[in-house]
Amino acid sequence: MIHMVKLCVGISSFEELESYRNERAHWWGADYGEDVHVHRTRMMPKRAAEMEGIASIYWVIAGSIVCRQPILRLAPYTDAEGKDYCDIIMSPELVRTIPYPKRPFQGWRYLEPKDAPPDIAANDAENSVEIAAELARLGLL
């Protein structure tokens, strides 16, 4: 298994991402007729078989990985001009993680499971996020 990490461009917080998640599929014109979220990216991962149904996309917001979304499957897409893309079809569920600092990069990157930040329990999310963000800022996490 291998995860994916991607910058969440134009989004400044987990709450903002949460508010947009129901609109994202419509931005790409991608409607798979089910309750999923879609993000379109230029390249199909070569390790797609290691992701579909078992991995997550970890979102980097404001310089830190702050949440993940389970990847259900990856689908090829070709636009009207003949350009190939990859639709990352994800569960609508956003899972908060302990914030881990991540420098900017282009596109997406693979993320080994051993390097993925742990989830934060839903009932501890508010306090844990603040504490973990402060520890990460201090370089202790």
Side-chain angles (χ1 to χ4, degrees):
M1 172 179 48
I2 192 81
H3 297 294
M4 179 183 285
V5 62
K6 183 143 179 52
L7 295 180
C8 200
V9 178
I11 302 294
S12 61
S13 68
F14 173 84
E15 292 75 19
E16 187 177 356
L17 174 61
E18 202 170 38
S19 73
Y20 284 131
R21 67 181 169 179
N22 293 329
E23 299 173 23
R24 285 194 299 176
H26 305 294
W27 294 347
W28 307 108
D31 182 3
Y32 285 87
E34 54 191 304
D35 186 22
V36 295
H37 295 142
V38 179
H39 180 78
R40 185 163 290 155
T41 190
R42 187 72 175 96
M43 302 299 293
M44 175 68 77
K46 289 180 176 30
R47 298 174 72 177
E50 295 177 65
M51 294 179 177
E52 294 181 306
I54 54 175
S56 291
I57 184 167
Y58 284 78
W59 291 110
V60 177
I61 300 173
S64 294
I65 296 173
V66 298
C67 65
R68 67 179 180 84
Q69 273 184 287
I71 297 172
L72 302 175
R73 62 188 181 279
L74 302 166
Y77 174 82
T78 304
D79 71 7
E81 298 173 5
K83 286 186 182 176
D84 292 329
Y85 294 89
C86 171
D87 280 356
I88 304 168
I89 303 165
M90 303 167 287
S91 164
E93 175 187 19
L94 289 171
V95 180
R96 280 187 181 264
T97 64
I98 291 178
Y100 271 35
K102 187 75 174 168
R103 292 181 186 219
F105 57 91
Q106 288 189 336
W108 52 263
R109 300 286 184 267
Y110 291 119
L111 180 66
E112 293 287 340
K114 67 179 177 54
D115 298 326
D119 294 349
I120 294 175
N123 56 348
D124 292 337
E126 190 172 318
N127 292 331
S128 296
V129 169
E130 292 173 12
I131 292 168
E134 184 62 18
L135 290 172
R137 188 186 68 74
L138 294 170
L140 300 172
L141 191 62

